Every structure is written in structure tokens, then in C-alpha cells.
Amino acid sequence: MSNFWQSKIEYLKGIGPQRAQLLASELSIVTYRDLIQYFPFRHEDRTRVYAIAELNPDLPFIQVKGQILSWDVVGEGGKKRLVATFSDGTGFMDLIWFQGIQWQLKNLKLNTDYLVFGKADAFGHKFSVVHPEIEVVTSLDAQTGFLQPIYNVTEKLRKKFITPKALGKMIQPLLEIAPNHIEETLPPIITDKYQLVSRREALLQIHQPKNAEALQKAKNRLKFEELFFLQIKLLKQQLFKKTIYKGQIFAKSDLLTEFYQKHLPFDLTGAQKRVVKEIYRDMGSGKQMNRLLQGDVGSGKTMVAFLAMLVAVSNGAQACIVAPTEILAEQHFQGLSEYAEKLGITIDILTGSTLARNRRIMHERLMNGNLKILVGTHAIFEDKVQFENLGLCIVDEQHRFGVQQRAKLWEKNQIPPHILVMTATPIPRTLAMTLYGDLDVSVIDEMPAGRKPIITAHRYDSHRLRVFGFMREEINKGRQIYMVYPLIEESEKLTYKNLMDGYESISRAFPEFHLSIVHGQMSSIDKDYEMQRFKKGETHIMVATTVIEVGVNVPNASVMVIENAERFGLSQLHQLRGRVGRGAEQSYCILMTDYKLSKEAKIRLETMVRTTNGFEIADVDLQLRGPGDLMGTQQSGVLDLIIADLSKDARILQEARLTAQDILEADPYLEKPENQSIKQQLMITLKEESYWSRIS
Ligand code: ADP
Ligand code: MG
């Protein structure tokens, strides 16, 4: 049976060696399996015949039935065209050809019923279709209609007459001989539960649907199957890792208890408590922890990080936390030092600007175990930095770190340290599970009590004076303000100029207040100095580029003004807004833009004004941009999906994930008879993958 699917397509009727060669080089279609899995990316609806009177320019491709009344060649040179007047009795439209005029002239007939297919555009009161597909209506069959599959092809294939539709005809002979060879890959318990059509039905219907409903069912089934096997693969990898990578067992929690009883500065939120429990359970399990902690800005991840560190230190091990920038490392250091000192735990900071002299001492203290907690930037990854026993490594704002860097951490210790990755970039949970398939996911979905939701408004540049007036009032109440300028991608110079122009106009508008400025071209010492002045309240307005985006914490800053807000992505706007709303005061975020806005920019701004929920924002972001653009997803490779779309098929993804979990829980090695079809399919996909990775 499996030999059938390995057969080369050149032996299929109507393909032959030359086209087979082309399909192999252009689309990687070599075998019968490749061909049947090359799905159309859309279908043109030929089931419906429109009346010319009901056309409107918003319709996609349409089909009308009628007769040609007359034709004429008009225009000169490049504008020369054949225009035929077409009517179905309800109205008139033009059919237009710029090319192949002679051929059309020879073939067009009067008094003949035609089916015309194409995109109708309105010019004045009349519709016209440029280069329509037309065919003479010969039999009744032609009127019953069908959904025409359209396949992606390359330019080169087009030139060789393998068009998006021609490919459909080439698949036809395979569909005739394939049915008896299509085996079911999912057990009945799954297909029954989710009412999935059989694999055979799905593969036949996706290429040649008998109607829209059958097509929908075919897609559903194939999407489920694809996502299900992806999840099985990810979960099996995770299972495998857990069985081979031992973790240090951290059973003691003395320091944790002491801190809870004596020094906790606030009550933990329910979500924080739950997550700490999850982490504590992982660290005591004997397996290496690989956990992703997602929590919106301001949800209190730092405290969770500290409590996790206490688990390691209670058991005599060391812990480190890696931040993406020096400013953030510094901030973590200050925050964590305050807590660590209460318990007499040693803590230090290592960044690119740590002096060599101090470094040497630090290296020594790490090696002999005198230094328990190390805060830093990627400087921690350097090989010279070795620990006596690193028990836990926390990576903050993960998207700035590649997977390889994470792997590097594992080598820091004989037994790999437990790993906690923290991110404030909320992505829908199921998506996170797929993208970070090797990580368990915890979510802090609750804000500390007493926070007032940030009020967000969109203002046009023409209202700048009113905005300035509002800023002045807030500063006079004792608040501080961020003004953020976008990075201009084309040029650093432009960014700098934009920022400096802004800075000047603000200094002119607010002569009575002190300003700070921070941007990417400043040395980290200068940046730090300015940040500190702002933090201490010595300056009232912080003018900055997005360097202040992540993590910076100044509770007294209660207004965030974002200039050229249309230039920012949703997740970035959300991150920026998270810089305010950290204190007890009512906070505001003002999004400034020009009048001219793209449709997408409008959606982004409206979303920001409507909600402060990071997950809701992430969902909109996902809809707007698709998963390929989400941070950190590019290298993950799990997005090479054939039919499913992670941004649109969340429900199916969820079902597939749960089903995969249930199956593996009951039968981790897929040994039960009812799971043999799953096992076989898994082996086929894994074999294909290793084949591709060997040749590419
Ligand atoms: P993030 O998740 O963005 O890293 P932080 O850890 O910086 O958030 O916390 C934001 C602010 O909230 C800090 O000032 C922190 O002290 C405070 N905070 C954290 N947890 C709580 C809590 N349970 N109750 C009150 N305040 C809290
Ligand atoms: Mg943080």
C-alpha cells in the first residue's frame, strides 16, 4: 500500500517526465503523496449564476449566462482592445480583451449562450470583465456548476501552461486511482467525537468538492488532522525530554516560607499563587523544568521570579535572571536586592559595562558558590561565567533570546538548570503551546488589586495644544509623563531628528518643567543616568524612543503620550502603555496621529482605546498580521502548515491539542491497537521530515 504513495508522478496519465521535473523543482511535488497533499488555496464559486442587474463591484469572481450582441476593436497601440457587448436580459456588460484579439475574433459567436466567468468592475453605470473566461453552454451539465479549485503555481509553471487551474486537471487521474489507497489515520473514537469525514472523503472533496458543505467538511477534517499530528509530535518531544533530562530535586523551601511569613510586601494575587505552585511542583519533580510564564505588563512576574529563585537557593543552589537590556537588568537588580537583603541572600549584577576587575571577583564568587543570585544581560551567557551549581535560570522578555541561547544555558551545569522564560507579549494560549511546544505554559491572568484601568484616547496632531494642557495639569498634580517617538525604520538619522524635534518643541512648550531624554544612540551610562533622574522624580517628562518599551518601572509616571502612534504595532503599543498604570493614580495613554490613517492603523488604534486586555489585543494582532509575524515564531518551524492557519483555526487547534493529550496520557508509546493508525501516520511524517532535513 505505502508503495503506491511513493510512486513518482511522472507515470500518471497526462504528466510525463518533463512536467514531473518542473513540478519537482518548482513545488517539490515528486510522489503521489506530494501531489494529493498539494491542496488548492481557494475555490471559485461556479455554483451560482448571477444576473447582470444584481452585480456589484464588491463581489469576488462572478459567473453570468447570456449572449454576445456585438463586438468591436477600439483604441490604438497598447490601448488596443476588443470590446464585446454582453447581455443576459437583465442588463448589459462589456467583455474586454487586450490580448489574443485575433483568436477571439475568429471564435466569438452571436446568438449563442455563453457562461462568462471573471471579476466584474464598474465603470460609470456599466460593468465590464477584463479577459473573462467564456465557454459555450452546450449541455445541461454546464449549468449545474461546481467549485473550481485554484492552486498556487509559480511564474515558471505558468509560462509552461501549468496554470492554477491546469494543475487541477493534472490531479484528476490520481484522484481516479487513489481512493482505494487512502487509509484512515484517525481512530473512530476521534472522528466520531468531532464528526470528521473520512480521510478518503476529505482528500477527494478538497480537490473536487461537490458542494460548499462538502468542501467545508473536507477542510475541517484535514485541518484537524494536521494540527493533531503536530500536537502529537510536540507532546511526544516534550515527553521524551522529560524522560531523558533529569532535573535537580528542590524539595526544601525554608527561605520561601520565611519570606512569605515575614517580608512579603503585598498579598499575592490568586494567579501569582497558582503559578508559584506550578513552578514549585516542577522544581521538585526530578525532571528539568522548562516553563513559559506569560503575564501582561504589570501583572507581577518579578515577584514570581524571586520566589522561584528562593526555591533554588533554599536547596543550596544558585539562580540567575537574564534581561534583554542593561536598564532592565539594573531595575531587576534594584528590585530583587531589596527582597534578597531581607533574607541575607547574596546578589550581584553582571552586564557589558561591568568592570573587568569586578568581573574577576564575581566569577570567583560564582564558582565557589558565595554568590547566590546573579542578575544580568546576555553577558551571563559567556563561557567564562561558570557557576558552582546553577539551579534555576530565568530569562525575562524571552523574544529577544533565540532558542540556541536557551540551549546554551543548559550547558552551564552538569545537570541542566531549571528554566523559566518570562514574557509580557501575550499570545493566545493554544498558540503558545504550539510555538513553544517544548515548554509548559503558565499564565498570570489577573492584575494586582487596586489598579485603576488605564484610560486610553486617540487624538489628532491638530489637538496637540489641548494635549499639552492636559499634560501640564497632570504634572502640576505631581505626576510624571512619558513621551515616546517611533523608531523610523528607514534611517537612524530620521529617528534621531524626529526625537530631537519633539524634544525641542516640548522644551519650548514646558519651560517650567525638567526633561529627560533617552534614545538608542546614547551610551548606556548616559541612558542610565537619565532614567535614574526620571525615576527619582528630578525630571517631569521623559522623552524617549522605544528603548523604554520593556519592563521599566516608574510608578509615579501616569501619562504615556505616543507620537505617530500609527507607526507602532499593536503589541508594541500595548507594551508601551504598560509603562504607566503602575501606581495608585489614574493613568492615561494618549495616542497621537495624523488624520491620514490606513485601515489597519485605525483598527489598531480602536483596539487600544477599547481594551487593556493583553490577550484580546494579541488576538486582534494575530488576525491582522497572521502568526508568521509574531515575535519569536520565525525560527520555530511549526508554522509550515499545509492547510491549517493558527490565527484562524484556534478552535480546531484547541480540540486537536486536547485530543492529542488524552491519547498520549492513556498510551504514551502509542501501543494500543486502536492507536496503530496514529502511530503509522506519525512514522510516515517523521520519515519525510528527516528526509527533507537531510537533503536541504
Ligand atoms: P511585570 O509582570 O510587568 O514584570 P512587575 O513584576 O514589574 O510586573 O510588577 C509591577 C508592579 O506591581 C511592581 O511595582 C510590583 O511591586 C507590583 N506588584 C506585583 N505583584 C503585586 C501584588 N500581588 N499586589 C500588589 N502589587 C504587586
Ligand atoms: Mg517585568
Side-chain angles (χ1 to χ4, degrees):
M1 280 279 182
S2 69
N3 280 344
F4 176 83
W5 292 110
Q6 301 298 325
S7 312
K8 302 269 188 290
I9 57 167
E10 60 177 284
Y11 304 117
L12 275 176
K13 204 164 57 182
I15 293 195
Q18 265 173 5
R19 290 171 139 195
Q21 184 64 45
L22 271 172
L23 290 173
S25 62
E26 294 295 299
L27 303 176
S28 304
I29 298 175
V30 178
T31 63
Y32 286 7
R33 185 193 308 285
D34 299 335
L35 187 59
I36 205 160
Q37 286 185 0
Y38 197 74
F39 302 142
F41 71 97
R42 67 183 169 91
H43 294 77
E44 282 175 356
D45 189 353
R46 297 272 190 126
T47 57
R48 167 141 194 219
V49 177
Y50 282 86
I52 293 178
E54 61 175 335
L55 294 184
N56 72 66
D58 294 332
L59 290 171
F61 282 71
I62 48 92
Q63 185 171 236
V64 288
K65 194 177 133 209
Q67 297 198 348
I68 291 174
L69 307 180
S70 66
W71 59 75
D72 202 1
V73 177
V74 298
E76 288 297 326
K79 288 194 172 154
K80 186 172 164 187
R81 60 200 186 272
L82 168 62
V83 180
T85 304
F86 183 86
S87 175
D88 65 352
T90 73
F92 299 90
M93 62 192 262
D94 285 341
L95 309 180
I96 299 173
W97 288 269
F98 289 93
Q99 271 142 31
I101 294 178
Q102 291 312 319
W103 194 85
Q104 293 295 349
L105 281 175
K106 261 185 251 159
N107 287 281
L108 291 183
K109 293 191 194 86
L110 298 172
N111 301 316
T112 307
D113 280 341
Y114 279 106
L115 262 181
V116 168
F117 187 77
K119 173 86 183 85
D121 288 310
F123 290 103
H125 294 296
K126 207 170 185 189
F127 279 93
S128 62
V129 181
V130 175
H131 286 192
E133 274 179 46
I134 63 169
E135 54 192 66
V136 174
V137 181
T138 46
S139 66
L140 281 174
D141 307 34
Q143 296 167 41
T144 53
F146 60 102
L147 290 160
Q148 165 108 50
I150 306 292
Y151 297 83
N152 264 320
V153 296
T154 62
E155 207 42 51
K156 193 164 170 195
L157 288 175
R158 268 177 206 274
K159 285 203 182 111
K160 304 276 181 186
F161 303 106
I162 302 179
T163 64
K165 282 176 194 168
L167 196 57
K169 297 210 177 86
M170 294 165 69
I171 291 174
Q172 171 67 29
L174 175 60
L175 296 181
E176 276 162 26
I177 56 173
N180 288 330
H181 298 276
I182 300 175
E183 287 178 345
E184 187 47 71
T185 54
L186 298 172
I189 189 162
I190 298 180
T191 50
D192 287 352
K193 179 164 179 196
Y194 294 107
Q195 299 182 355
L196 303 173
V197 298
S198 71
R199 185 155 192 268
R200 176 180 305 162
E201 176 79 3
L203 285 176
L204 296 177
Q205 292 295 324
I206 188 100
H207 290 289
Q208 295 184 345
K210 56 175 185 270
N211 55 40
E213 196 195 344
L215 174 62
Q216 198 50 44
K217 284 187 173 159
K219 280 190 188 165
N220 247 343
R221 147 82 206 208
L222 294 168
K223 286 176 176 185
F224 185 96
E225 175 172 334
E226 180 167 48
L227 294 171
F228 173 76
F229 281 102
L230 174 65
Q231 294 300 331
I232 287 270
K233 217 167 60 190
L234 291 170
L235 289 168
K236 277 198 76 96
Q237 275 167 9
Q238 202 177 6
L239 216 67
F240 175 70
K241 254 193 204 163
K242 282 189 180 156
T243 42
I244 62 165
Y245 293 112
K246 299 253 174 311
Q248 307 193 49
I249 301 176
F250 292 149
K252 285 188 240 160
S253 57
D254 320 357
L255 292 168
L256 194 62
T257 315
E258 187 185 339
F259 191 77
Y260 263 141
Q261 285 170 353
K262 295 192 196 150
H263 308 295
L264 206 59
F266 37 67
D267 290 335
L268 296 184
T269 63
Q272 282 172 318
K273 279 185 207 161
R274 189 188 65 234
V275 170
V276 171
K277 258 188 220 149
E278 287 168 351
I279 291 170
Y280 183 59
R281 200 174 45 209
D282 278 6
M283 292 175 75
S285 73
K287 312 269 163 63
Q288 186 206 16
M289 171 171 78
N290 273 291
R291 189 167 278 282
L292 174 73
L293 173 57
Q294 276 198 69
D296 226 330
V297 271
S299 61
K301 294 186 291 295
T302 317
M303 178 53 80
V304 171
F306 180 69
L307 296 173
M309 289 174 154
L310 287 186
V311 179
V313 180
S314 294
N315 290 272
Q318 294 157 293
C320 72
I321 179 165
V322 190
T325 64
E326 290 200 13
I327 293 182
L328 285 176
E330 182 62 38
Q331 191 170 289
H332 273 315
F333 178 63
Q334 282 167 5
L336 294 171
S337 297
E338 215 174 284
Y339 301 147
E341 269 161 25
K342 299 206 163 114
L343 296 167
I345 297 173
T346 48
I347 180 168
D348 210 338
I349 177 168
L350 175 68
T351 69
S353 39
T354 306
L355 299 175
R357 173 160 40 95
N358 296 344
R359 251 174 215 249
R360 268 198 304 278
I361 302 171
M362 212 180 296
H363 288 172
E364 218 162 280
R365 294 178 68 216
L366 287 170
M367 282 293 278
N368 65 25
N370 280 340
L371 182 54
K372 292 298 180 193
I373 296 181
L374 182 64
V375 182
T377 57
H378 52 274
I380 293 183
F381 290 117
E382 286 167 25
D383 293 333
K384 282 177 295 193
V385 184
Q386 293 291 331
F387 294 79
E388 182 198 35
N389 179 16
L390 180 61
L392 170 69
C393 180
I394 299 173
V395 181
D396 195 11
E397 306 299 349
Q398 182 267 348
H399 53 265
R400 312 246 169 145
F401 291 95
V403 178
Q404 281 124 348
Q405 274 167 311
R406 233 198 293 152
K408 223 168 171 195
L409 285 170
W410 292 33
E411 294 154 17
K412 290 256 175 232
N413 226 48
Q414 229 159 11
I415 303 178
H418 295 292
I419 307 240
L420 181 66
V421 174
M422 304 201 297
T423 174
T425 310
I427 48 180
R429 196 183 174 100
T430 41
L431 186 55
M433 287 169 173
T434 303
L435 295 177
Y436 308 99
D438 57 333
L439 301 176
D440 294 306
V441 180
S442 291
V443 180
I444 306 186
D445 49 6
E446 185 184 350
M447 286 289 178
R451 293 268 170 83
K452 294 194 182 83
I454 301 164
I455 295 173
T456 303
H458 172 204
R459 293 284 177 268
Y460 293 108
D461 292 339
S462 51
H463 293 103
R464 182 167 304 272
L465 283 181
R466 295 244 293 275
V467 172
F468 280 2
F470 174 74
M471 289 166 65
R472 180 167 288 112
E473 276 170 32
E474 288 299 301
I475 298 176
N476 285 333
K477 283 190 215 157
R479 313 285 125 73
Q480 287 164 286
I481 293 179
Y482 291 108
M483 284 209 78
V484 177
Y485 289 80
L487 287 175
I488 297 173
E489 271 175 21
E490 305 88 71
S491 123
E492 252 182 56
K493 256 194 203 146
L494 272 179
T495 301
Y496 185 71
K497 181 171 181 304
N498 196 22
L499 180 76
M500 283 308 163
D501 289 352
Y503 181 77
E504 262 167 38
S505 80
I506 295 163
S507 344
R508 271 198 308 272
F510 299 102
E512 72 272 39
F513 298 136
H514 298 294
L515 311 189
S516 278
I517 184 163
V518 169
H519 57 81
Q521 288 179 341
M522 285 162 69
S523 75
S524 55
I525 295 172
D526 290 346
K527 265 191 247 175
D528 209 43
Y529 175 77
E530 286 295 321
M531 275 310 301
Q532 292 309 336
R533 288 208 316 146
F534 187 64
K535 223 171 161 168
K536 285 186 209 141
E538 292 170 12
T539 54
H540 303 102
I541 303 177
M542 162 63 79
V543 180
T545 53
T546 47
V547 287
I548 59 148
E549 183 184 338
V550 269
V552 173
N553 193 12
V554 182
N556 191 50
S558 65
V559 181
M560 165 67 66
V561 181
I562 303 177
E563 292 279 358
N564 299 114
E566 75 281 2
R567 284 180 173 258
F568 292 86
L570 256 182
S571 74
Q572 215 177 9
L573 288 173
H574 180 62
Q575 294 280 328
L576 284 169
R577 180 168 59 183
R579 298 304 110 221
V580 297
R582 298 186 154 229
E585 307 304 336
Q586 176 62 54
S587 290
Y588 303 87
C589 174
I590 302 172
L591 307 167
M592 306 282 303
T593 74
D594 191 12
Y595 276 111
K596 266 188 261 147
L597 291 171
S598 71
K599 201 165 141 203
E600 271 201 19
K602 273 187 201 146
I603 297 177
R604 290 199 296 267
L605 295 164
E606 279 161 18
T607 306
M608 287 297 295
V609 172
R610 186 185 72 236
T611 179
T612 54
N613 180 323
F615 284 92
E616 204 177 320
I617 289 170
D619 266 335
V620 177
D621 203 23
L622 193 61
Q623 303 299 334
L624 286 180
R625 299 192 301 160
D629 280 333
L630 280 183
M631 294 198 229
T633 61
Q634 287 85 351
Q635 353 73 308
S636 67
V638 300
L639 295 172
D640 303 333
L641 296 171
I642 298 177
I643 185 163
D645 177 341
L646 293 177
S647 60
K648 302 205 175 90
D649 299 322
R651 183 187 51 81
I652 303 178
L653 177 59
Q654 176 79 28
E655 288 170 359
R657 171 93 182 177
L658 289 175
T659 310
Q661 263 167 346
D662 285 350
I663 298 240
L664 287 180
E665 212 156 275
D667 185 13
Y669 298 99
L670 298 174
E671 288 164 336
K672 292 187 180 165
E674 66 267 29
N675 291 334
Q676 288 318 294
S677 56
I678 298 178
K679 188 174 188 175
Q680 250 166 32
Q681 180 64 16
L682 187 65
M683 271 156 44
I684 290 172
T685 39
L686 291 178
K687 224 192 269 166
E688 274 177 0
E689 269 167 24
S690 70
Y691 170 75
W692 284 112
S693 63
R694 252 183 292 130
I695 63 166
S696 56

